[in-house]
Amino acid sequence: MDRRGFIASGALAGTAALATPALSQGALPEVRWRCASSFPRSLDTIFGAGEHVGKRVAALTDGKFQIRVFSAGELVPGLQVADAVQGGTVECAHTASYYFVGKDPTFAFDATIPFGMNTRQINAWLYAGGGRELLQEFFAGYNIHSIPCGSTGAQMGGWFRKEIKTVQDLSGLKMRIAGIAGNIMQKLGGVPQQIAGGDIYPALEKGTIDAAEWIGPYDDEKLGFNRVAPYYYYPGWWEGGLNLSFYVAKSKYDELPQVYKDVLESACRDATLETMAKYDVQNPQALRRLVAGGAQLRAFPREVMQACYKAAFELYEETAAKNAAFKKVYEPWKVFRDLEYQWFRVTESTFDNFVYLMHAQAQQQRR
């Protein structure tokens, strides 16, 4: 996080230095954009990432470049923002790309895929491992320029009306679950439902669905899922790290002065750092409150995790065999993932597992 903070602050400082002389000469145009978010305003962290971009862009350009962010449904439904950008209804959007795998499963790589990489590894792939270059080529076909803009970290596995003890318990389960994860659940007999964040609670309350995943304790508590489903599962194997995205209509992006492009890029990086930091502070506190309030915390059984893992990579290979765009991203993604896994197993995972174990043992001794 220190490294990312240094990069973000350095980029912002450089952008500010670049922007000031041009602005003082009155050389840059006034730009007013509308941003359609996929998220409800009540979710201040994830919706707030888009707002953060708007505020930073305005601050760094003396108000000449302004982006007004609208919550899901105010301009267009939350799951239709890609269409709105592509068609020119709005100039930009803040979203999670896996919402649009119905168009092409390749969209998922801009967000995350089940049993994929964690947050640091995703950032490494996007910013230094060639991921963004591959994805920009893909997005150009949709008149979209996509910028990483927000991160949730590893997510929870969601809220269930009944316990999940075996793979058979997934059969017939109607679950709100986003992106390719829904296809994996379907392979195991589940019935995936694609529902926008603000519509999940009533569907779970009415019994239209049996389970729902969203993000993690802080947002889940705000949406009230604990009031209508008692079992809270982990981990969210479909989202070991989620990259959020700021979509800009490519034609609009190309029209921007270079300094505005730099400002937008820096603001999005800053939003990524801030969003992840907020979740890391807010989620532990919210989880304590949820458990104290009666939520039944459960780990997915290993049998279920293994079955989902197997189904996931079978699905990827099947998709790559028939989708050239997916294969073009998936093959280098796998090579990069393999190297990251080897490195993290040597040091990151070893360190984390050791200190967590020692901390747990110390807590038990104090009791």
Side-chain angles (χ1 to χ4, degrees), residues 232-246:
Y232 198 20
Y233 274 86
Y234 66 90
W237 45 263
W238 45 89
E239 290 172 284
L242 172 63
N243 171 67
L244 302 170
S245 302
F246 198 87

Side-chain angles (χ1 to χ4, degrees), residues 83-265:
D83 291 333
V85 172
Q86 184 181 5
T89 303
V90 296
E91 293 82 9
C92 53
H94 185 236
T95 190
S97 288
Y98 58 27
Y99 289 152
F100 314 113
V101 295
K103 296 176 179 293
D104 189 310
T106 312
F107 272 91
F109 287 106
D110 193 50
T112 188
I113 64 172
F115 298 106
M117 295 186 284
N118 66 24
T119 295
R120 279 185 54 188
Q121 293 161 352
I122 290 171
N123 282 340
W125 181 63
L126 289 173
Y127 283 111
R132 286 188 72 184
E133 290 79 4
L134 285 168
L135 291 170
Q136 292 298 11
E137 183 180 345
F138 168 75
F139 275 110
Y142 292 87
N143 184 37
I144 291 173
H145 180 86
S146 182
I147 306 173
C149 185
S151 182
T152 67
Q155 298 191 8
M156 291 291 285
W159 298 86
F160 293 73
R161 291 182 175 278
K162 63 178 184 180
E163 289 188 84
I164 302 299
K165 297 180 178 179
T166 68
V167 177
Q168 287 69 38
D169 290 331
L170 300 178
S171 182
L173 184 81
K174 294 177 291 184
M175 182 175 183
R176 185 278 175 191
I177 188 167
I180 288 179
N183 301 116
I184 296 166
M185 291 289 286
Q186 197 167 24
K187 285 174 74 73
L188 297 171
V191 184
Q193 307 288 315
Q194 180 87 300
I195 303 173
D199 299 324
I200 300 173
Y201 181 89
L204 195 59
E205 182 183 36
K206 295 173 184 176
T208 306
I209 55 177
D210 306 307
E213 61 83 27
W214 178 240
I215 293 177
Y218 182 70
D219 286 342
D220 292 359
E221 181 185 41
K222 278 180 169 287
L223 293 176
F225 299 148
N226 55 304
R227 298 197 296 269
V228 288
Y231 300 106
Y232 198 20
Y233 274 86
Y234 66 90
W237 45 263
W238 45 89
E239 290 172 284
L242 172 63
N243 171 67
L244 302 170
S245 302
F246 198 87
Y247 285 0
V248 182
K250 192 173 184 306
S251 54
K252 291 295 182 182
Y253 180 81
D254 291 342
E255 291 174 359
L256 288 177
Q258 185 59 48
V259 65
Y260 284 4
K261 292 178 181 178
D262 294 341
V263 163
L264 182 59
E265 179 77 25

Side-chain angles (χ1 to χ4, degrees), residues 307-318:
C308 292
Y309 184 93
K310 180 175 183 291
F313 285 93
E314 286 176 353
L315 178 64
Y316 303 153
E317 295 299 328
E318 292 165 4

